């Protein structure tokens, strides 16, 4: 890279950093502006006060300037008209016939008019011949330090062409090199022996300008003081109003975080005090209702837990008796045999419901724990699919695995994850209407995901938003084939939350549904909004694999169920042997 290119690169990088810093500063200011009502009120009050003060100062300045100028103009106009008339009368009545007398007359007259007492504003006089001739007795004469160059050409032309008195604003030079405002009045006069001159009276209005400058300084100081006072008043007023609102917001945040004992301080009897009193009364009512609901919830949980535990012993006895009857059903007649089968399967369903109730009670009580270990989710999913094969055969449904990543290991509780996937697969088989069910497994650097996709009846967005509610069913009239309790997805949600994961649902009526389980790879990790697998997932039929095509995990122990599954628990009959119950 050449030196100019390096310089351009350095300049580009420096400019990028400056833009980034400026953008960050602007965002910080915008956040501060949006978050502070007091800041917005004070700034808006200061800006409006500044605008109002500027408009008022402009108006006052214009009125004062116009009035003061007009007053001074009327005075100097009267003085100049009187002085020019006096000079014209003196020159017209002069009987001088030689140059010396004429010069002396002009100097005496100019000095007399310049030093005349009673003049409102300092003035100087300037006498300029309008025509060049051989018999000029008097040349250009002036008092003070002014010259003919201060008279504008427009005024010179007006005096030369007319016989009246004319005026014009002019700029007079200052000793410090600047200029000051002034007025020039001019008229034609005639001197012996009949030569025409222009006589100008020049008034210096610097004193008027100083007065205006002083007034402007006073107005600026008054405007600044007004802005400061209004800003302080705005700070005080907004602080008085915003502080109770801020306290109410802080108290509401504390209440929402679970601290039901916090209250707003109340002072006085004004509107803010009534707000605090009403807010505290509302907080008291909320605390009482939440306390009552918590007590009722605890009573309900204790009741369900106690009843569930009390039912286990008689249910075990009933199941043992039902198993004995079920094993001897071939000795009964058709009616008793059918009754025995119904009794056996309903006892199984009752036991599954009881196990779900006990599990959900443990979640509600916060007693659920996680025994994490390194687990390959692909092999776990393969075990679930193999376990669900009897139910799939009964529903004439093919269940496939779709591995989309090579490393799908994570630190999870295999028993709980197996329960989640098993529940999703069983639901997909039940609602798949005989169409294939695909179990997809994928991963990225920080998360792993499992998606169970069916192509059955599907569900609407409203149903997908409620599918994880306890005991909720999309179609209550639809018969269950697996005898579920209605708590499977709720338990799956709690198991997922225990892993800091996320369980999502998607569905379209007539196009099937998909459930996605996303888990962090390492214990204690979290998952964001993204997932390794899309919802619905994108894949092809060529990527499908049968469970038997998945290589078994090394030294992986099979995950034993923690309760009776919501499916047939009978293994195929071994050759030459009786049917065997799964433990």
């Amino acid at each position: 890279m050449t030196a100019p290119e390096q310089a351009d690169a350095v300049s580009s990088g420096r400019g990028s950093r400056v833009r980034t810093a400026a953008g960050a500063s602007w965002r910080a200011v915008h956040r501060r502006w949006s978050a502070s009502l007091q800041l917005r009120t004070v700034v808006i009050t200061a800006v409006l006060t500044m605008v109002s003060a500027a408009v008022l100062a402009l108006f006052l300045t214009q009125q004062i300037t116009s009035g003061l100028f007009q007053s001074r103009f009327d005075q100097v106009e009267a003085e100049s008209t009187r002085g020019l008339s006096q000079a014209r009368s003196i020159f017209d009545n002069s009987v001088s016939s030689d140059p010396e007398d004429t010069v002396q007359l002009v100097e005496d007259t100019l000095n007399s008019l310049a030093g005349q007492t009673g003049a409102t504003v300092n003035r100087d006089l300037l006498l300029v011949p309008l025509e060049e001739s051989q018999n000029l007795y008097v040349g250009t004469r002036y008092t003070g330090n002014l010259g003919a160059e201060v008279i504008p050409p427009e005024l010179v032309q007006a005096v030369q062409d007319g016989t009246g008195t004319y005026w014009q604003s002019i700029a007079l030079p200052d000793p410090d090199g600047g200029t000051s405002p002034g007025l020039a009045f001019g008229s034609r006069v005639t001197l012996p022996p009949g030569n025409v001159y222009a006589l100008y009276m020049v008034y210096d209005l610097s004193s008027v300008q100083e007065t205006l400058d002083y007034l402007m300084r006073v107005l600026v100081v008054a405007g600044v003081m007004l802005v400061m006072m209004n800003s302080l008043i705005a700070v005080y007023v907004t602080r008085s109003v915003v502080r109770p609102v801020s306290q109410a917001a802080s108290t509401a945040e504390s209440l929402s975080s679970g601290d039901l004992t916090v209250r707003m301080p109340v002072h006085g009897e004004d509107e803010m005090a009534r707000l605090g009193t009403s807010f505290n009364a509302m907080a008291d009512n909320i605390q009482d209702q939440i306390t009552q609901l918590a007590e009722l919830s605890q009573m309900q949980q204790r009741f369900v837990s106690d009843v569930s535990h009390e039912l286990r012993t008689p249910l075990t006895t009933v199941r043992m008796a039902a198993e004995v009857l079920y094993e001897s059903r071939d000795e009964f007649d058709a009616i008793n045999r059918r009754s025995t089968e119904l009794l056996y399967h309903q006892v199984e369903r009752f036991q599954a419901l009881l196990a779900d109730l006990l599990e959900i009670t443990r979640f509600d009580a916060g007693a659920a724990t996680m025994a994490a270990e390194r687990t390959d989710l692909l092999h776990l999913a393969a075990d679930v699919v193999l376990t669900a094969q009897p139910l799939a055969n009964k529903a004439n449904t093919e269940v496939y695995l779709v591995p989309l990543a090579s490393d799908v290991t994570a630190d999870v509780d295999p028993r709980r994850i197996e329960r989640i996937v098993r529940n999703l697969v069983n639901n997909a088989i039940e609602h798949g209407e005989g169409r294939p069910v695909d179990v997809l497994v994928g991963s990225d650097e920080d998360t792993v995901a499992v998606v169970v996709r069916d192509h059955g009846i599907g569900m609407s967005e409203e149903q997908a938003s409620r599918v994880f509610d306890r005991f909720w069913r999309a179609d209550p009239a639809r018969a269950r084939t697996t005898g579920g309790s209605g708590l499977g997805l709720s338990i799956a949600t709690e198991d997922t939350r225990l892993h800091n994961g996320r369980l999502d649902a998607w569905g379209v009526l007539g196009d099937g549904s998909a459930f996605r389980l996303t888990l962090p790879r390492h214990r204690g990790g979290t998952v964001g909004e993204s997932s390794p697998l899309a919802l619905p997932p994108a894949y092809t039929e060529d990527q499908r694999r049968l469970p038997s095509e998945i290589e078994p995990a090394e030294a992986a122990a099979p995950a034993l169920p923690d309760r009776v599954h919501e499916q047939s628990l009978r293994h195929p009959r071994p050759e030459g042997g009786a049917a065997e119950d799964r433990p």
Side-chain angles (χ1 to χ4, degrees):
M1 182 181 293
T2 63
E5 292 176 346
Q6 292 178 351
D8 292 342
V10 171
S11 176
S12 176
R14 185 181 298 110
S16 177
R17 289 192 295 271
V18 170
R19 288 192 298 271
T20 302
S25 300
W26 170 252
R27 287 191 295 270
V29 171
H30 184 268
R31 285 194 299 269
R32 176 63 177 169
W33 174 267
S34 300
S36 177
L37 175 61
Q38 183 174 3
L39 175 63
R40 294 199 301 272
T41 303
V42 173
V43 171
I44 292 174
T45 302
V47 171
L48 292 179
T49 303
M50 290 175 62
V51 172
S52 302
V55 172
L56 181 60
L58 181 63
F59 174 76
L60 292 177
T61 302
Q62 183 178 4
Q63 294 297 317
I64 293 173
T65 302
S66 177
L68 188 57
F69 175 80
Q70 189 63 39
S71 175
R72 287 290 187 268
F73 178 80
D74 293 341
Q75 293 175 359
V76 298
E77 183 182 26
E79 293 176 2
S80 63
T81 301
R82 184 171 57 253
L84 291 174
S85 298
Q86 181 180 355
R88 190 182 302 111
S89 175
I90 293 174
F91 294 152
D92 290 342
N93 296 326
S94 173
V95 292
S96 300
S97 58
D98 56 68
E100 294 181 359
D101 294 339
T102 303
V103 170
Q104 187 64 39
L105 175 65
V106 169
E107 290 181 354
D108 292 342
T109 303
L110 294 182
N111 292 330
S112 174
L113 293 175
Q116 192 175 27
T117 58
T120 306
V121 181
N122 294 333
R123 64 185 179 184
D124 292 318
L125 282 86
L126 178 64
L127 183 67
V128 180
L130 294 179
E131 298 177 356
E132 296 293 338
S133 62
Q134 296 296 329
N135 57 348
L136 282 177
Y137 291 174
V138 181
T140 301
R141 291 288 188 271
Y142 55 86
T143 62
N145 298 321
L146 297 179
E149 66 275 2
V150 301
I151 306 301
E154 295 83 357
L155 182 59
V156 173
Q157 189 65 37
V159 172
Q160 185 175 357
D161 296 339
T163 58
T165 302
Y166 305 93
W167 70 273
Q168 188 172 350
S169 298
I170 61 174
L172 300 177
D174 284 341
D176 56 359
T179 59
S180 59
L183 283 174
F185 292 84
S187 180
R188 295 176 60 176
V189 295
T190 303
L191 292 175
N195 297 317
V196 180
Y197 290 79
L199 179 60
Y200 301 98
M201 284 190 173
V202 180
Y203 291 86
D204 186 3
L205 300 181
S206 57
S207 60
V208 179
Q209 184 63 44
E210 291 176 357
T211 303
L212 292 177
D213 293 341
Y214 173 76
L215 291 176
M216 285 299 299
R217 290 193 296 270
V218 171
L219 289 176
V220 170
V221 173
V224 172
M225 294 179 63
L226 180 63
V227 171
M228 294 180 61
M229 287 190 298
N230 281 358
S231 300
L232 293 176
I233 292 173
V235 170
Y236 175 76
V237 173
T238 54
R239 185 178 179 84
S240 302
V241 175
V242 172
R243 177 184 291 178
V245 178
S246 301
Q247 291 175 347
S250 177
T251 304
E253 292 174 357
S254 300
L255 290 174
S256 63
S257 64
D259 186 4
L260 301 180
T261 60
V262 65
R263 295 294 183 270
M264 284 184 60
V266 178
H267 304 286
E269 299 179 355
D270 55 6
E271 290 80 359
M272 294 295 105
R274 289 201 298 271
L275 172 64
T277 303
S278 301
F279 190 93
N280 292 339
M282 179 187 67
D284 292 336
N285 294 332
I286 292 176
Q287 182 179 13
D288 294 339
Q289 294 179 6
I290 291 179
T291 302
Q292 294 176 4
L293 291 175
E295 293 176 353
L296 291 175
S297 177
Q298 292 178 357
M299 292 176 60
Q300 179 184 7
Q301 295 175 12
R302 188 161 52 249
F303 172 77
V304 173
S305 178
D306 294 343
V307 170
S308 300
H309 282 86
E310 291 297 328
L311 287 176
R312 295 185 68 178
T313 300
L315 181 60
T316 303
T317 304
V318 172
R319 186 189 180 195
M320 293 174 61
E323 288 178 348
V324 172
L325 294 175
Y326 186 78
E327 294 295 335
S328 304
R329 66 186 184 280
D330 295 336
E331 302 175 3
F332 303 150
D333 55 41
I335 296 177
N336 291 330
R337 183 167 55 251
R338 179 57 179 165
S339 299
T340 301
E341 292 174 351
L342 291 175
L343 174 63
Y344 178 77
H345 290 300
Q346 292 303 317
V347 168
E348 279 190 335
R349 182 178 179 182
F350 189 17
Q351 190 171 11
L353 175 61
L354 183 61
D356 285 342
L357 288 175
L358 288 173
E359 186 67 18
I360 206 71
T361 301
R362 283 194 291 271
F363 281 117
D364 290 339
T369 58
M370 184 179 70
E373 60 183 67
R374 202 66 178 174
T375 304
D376 191 316
L377 296 188
L378 179 60
H379 295 97
L380 185 146
D383 293 340
V384 171
V385 173
L386 289 174
T387 305
Q389 199 60 48
L391 180 61
N393 294 337
K394 184 178 179 181
N396 295 323
T397 300
E398 294 290 339
V399 183
Y400 296 99
L401 288 169
V402 183
L404 299 179
S406 58
D407 182 13
V408 288
T409 59
D411 297 331
V412 297
D413 187 335
R415 178 179 67 88
R416 296 185 182 277
I417 301 303
E418 185 267 344
R419 179 166 59 191
I420 297 173
V421 179
R422 181 181 69 241
N423 190 284
L424 299 179
V425 171
N426 290 346
N427 287 343
I429 294 173
E430 179 182 358
H431 298 88
E433 297 187 331
R435 299 186 181 94
V437 173
D438 298 311
V439 181
L440 297 88
V441 183
S443 66
D444 58 19
E445 183 178 355
D446 300 318
T447 58
V448 294
V450 178
V451 174
V452 179
R453 174 74 160 95
D454 68 75
H455 305 273
I457 60 175
M459 55 184 174
S460 64
E461 292 185 3
E462 181 183 0
Q463 292 171 345
S465 64
R466 298 188 57 192
V467 72
F468 298 108
D469 296 344
R470 297 181 183 181
F471 301 107
W472 184 84
R473 296 181 64 181
D475 185 6
R478 179 182 176 90
R480 289 183 180 269
T481 60
T482 58
S485 63
L487 293 173
L489 290 179
S490 299
I491 295 175
T493 302
E494 297 297 337
D495 283 332
T496 304
R497 187 177 294 114
L498 198 63
H499 286 80
N500 292 333
R502 191 175 73 249
L503 187 59
D504 304 311
W506 169 90
V508 174
L509 292 175
D511 191 31
S513 58
F515 288 82
R516 179 179 64 191
L517 172 66
T518 307
L519 301 170
R521 277 190 179 273
H522 305 286
R523 184 172 184 178
T526 58
V527 298
E529 295 297 328
S530 60
S531 176
L533 299 178
L535 199 64
Y539 61 99
T540 62
E541 294 184 1
D542 296 338
Q543 295 176 291
R544 288 174 171 172
R545 299 289 184 270
L546 293 174
S548 57
E549 300 178 15
I550 304 299
E551 296 182 1
E554 297 181 0
L560 296 177
D562 62 320
R563 63 168 177 82
V564 178
H565 299 335
E566 299 178 1
Q567 64 185 48
S568 175
L569 301 181
R570 304 284 294 177
H571 285 301
R573 183 186 300 271
E575 295 183 1
E580 179 183 13
D581 281 345
R582 184 181 179 92

